[in-house]
Amino acid sequence: MFSFRTNQHSRVNNTKGNMAETITIEVARYRPEQETNPCFQEFQVPFTQDWVVLDALNYIKDKLDGSLSFRWSCRMGVCGSCGMTVNGEPKLTCATFLSHYQKGPIRVEPLKNFPVVRDLVIEMSDFLDKLQRVKPWIIEEDDTAPMEAEYLQTPEQLDKYKQFSMCINCMICYSACPVYGLDSDFIGPAAIALAQRYNLDSRDHGKEERLDILSQHEGIWDCTFVGECTKVCPKNVDPAGAIQQYKLEATKEWFKAFLKPWSKK
């Protein structure tokens, strides 16, 4: 159960010494050395049109409560580390403006479906393990090829996988995925989308290896195609589309294997 702790700051001085309008930010707090259950703590932060939720969190940490813990790095929607739940939806906080929520309040929580380490920080190990399993790198046909060898691609070849290469590993799709929420063994949307990125790369020769991994129960067939992963993706990667492509490819390979004995007659 969540409880509330409140910091009363109705207005905040801006840089010119005038009084600035504020907005209420309700932040999930969990400090395992102090609390057995998470709680919410309210803060009043300056409300400006160009501030994003991450700006508000940094203001809280710098000005109001230095103990607040959360991840962030680039502030430009590239690193994927600032994913959190904002008013019930998984978002990149560096790209979510306070003005989207007008007068507030804005509730900020950790991404759902992951264990919470502290405050807004989640445990990422499960996702990283799953990502490693699908081998999201180019597997060469000949391991003895010189490292300096050049592998050229046409624009058409690049277009086949470019969309799936935009994934920034923010894990927002895992937070939105009802299947992963119910079954943590599911490899998940981002890992499958990145596997498909390399399967479609003309330079890669690891398609069969990945298909063996993702054709298992916890792979593509676990997906029920709800499509929430695609809806929330901040980079328009379309993980749901990647999974459907993968299912089609796996089905074609199954039929090939099934018909192969007869093809020799």
Side-chain angles (χ1 to χ4, degrees):
M1 296 292 293
F2 277 88
S3 59
F4 267 95
R5 295 183 180 182
T6 304
N7 282 9
Q8 296 295 334
H9 297 281
S10 60
R11 288 181 177 270
V12 180
N13 289 333
N14 64 17
T15 55
K16 294 182 179 179
N18 299 320
M19 303 303 285
E21 294 297 328
T22 65
I23 188 170
T24 300
I25 309 293
E26 299 174 353
V27 184
R29 305 300 305 270
Y30 174 60
R31 291 150 291 192
E33 74 281 1
Q34 297 181 31
E35 299 137 343
T36 55
N37 294 307
C39 64
F40 284 105
Q41 188 169 2
E42 288 187 358
F43 299 93
Q44 300 294 323
V45 304
F47 178 79
T48 60
Q49 292 294 320
D50 60 346
W51 267 27
V52 293
V53 173
L54 182 59
D55 290 321
L57 293 175
N58 277 320
Y59 179 88
I60 293 169
K61 187 168 183 67
D62 293 342
K63 304 288 186 180
L64 305 178
D65 189 340
S67 70
L68 180 61
S69 299
F70 55 95
R71 288 191 178 105
W72 68 278
S73 182
C74 74
R75 299 171 63 104
M76 297 188 297
V78 176
C79 72
S81 60
C82 70
M84 301 173 207
T85 304
V86 181
N87 278 15
E89 298 181 42
K91 299 277 189 180
L92 285 181
T93 54
C94 69
T96 304
F97 286 86
L98 299 182
S99 58
H100 292 171
Y101 303 94
Q102 297 301 320
K103 295 182 180 180
I106 300 175
R107 176 168 289 188
V108 186
E109 303 171 74
L111 286 179
K112 298 176 182 177
N113 299 334
F114 293 96
V116 179
V117 177
R118 186 181 185 88
D119 292 341
L120 302 169
V121 179
I122 59 168
E123 171 57 58
M124 302 168 56
S125 299
D126 184 62
F127 168 72
L128 296 176
D129 290 343
K130 288 177 167 59
L131 197 61
Q132 184 81 5
R133 284 176 61 191
V134 302
K135 303 185 177 183
W137 56 81
I138 291 176
I139 297 175
E140 297 180 2
E141 184 176 24
D142 182 7
D143 292 337
T144 62
M147 293 296 292
E148 65 273 12
E150 189 173 18
Y151 298 92
L152 301 179
Q153 286 187 309
T154 65
E156 292 75 21
Q157 289 172 325
L158 175 63
D159 285 342
K160 287 184 178 180
Y161 69 83
K162 185 176 181 180
Q163 181 181 16
F164 301 137
S165 71
M166 301 304 291
C167 178
I168 57 174
N169 298 330
C170 63
M171 298 174 287
I172 284 176
C173 58
Y174 282 73
S175 182
C177 177
V179 176
Y180 183 71
L182 292 172
D183 181 7
S184 61
D185 288 335
F186 178 44
I187 290 179
I192 298 174
L194 283 169
Q196 186 68 340
R197 172 258 182 271
Y198 288 96
N199 288 341
L200 296 173
D201 193 314
S202 59
R203 302 165 296 179
D204 180 75
H205 297 275
K207 184 177 179 180
E208 290 186 7
E209 289 184 52
R210 299 188 192 96
L211 189 58
D212 287 341
I213 296 167
L214 292 175
S215 293
Q216 305 301 318
H217 170 71
E218 66 273 13
I220 53 177
W221 304 112
D222 224 9
C223 173
T224 56
F225 199 53
V226 176
E228 287 298 316
C229 54
T230 290
K231 290 180 184 178
V232 301
C233 179
K235 294 299 180 179
N236 301 312
V237 171
D238 190 14
I243 294 171
Q244 292 307 102
Q245 286 184 19
Y246 225 126
K247 285 182 177 180
L248 179 61
E249 187 64 29
T251 302
K252 289 162 73 174
E253 291 299 319
W254 182 87
F255 273 109
K256 285 181 184 178
F258 180 76
L259 296 172
K260 191 173 182 180
W262 286 273
S263 66
K264 297 179 181 180
K265 294 182 179 180

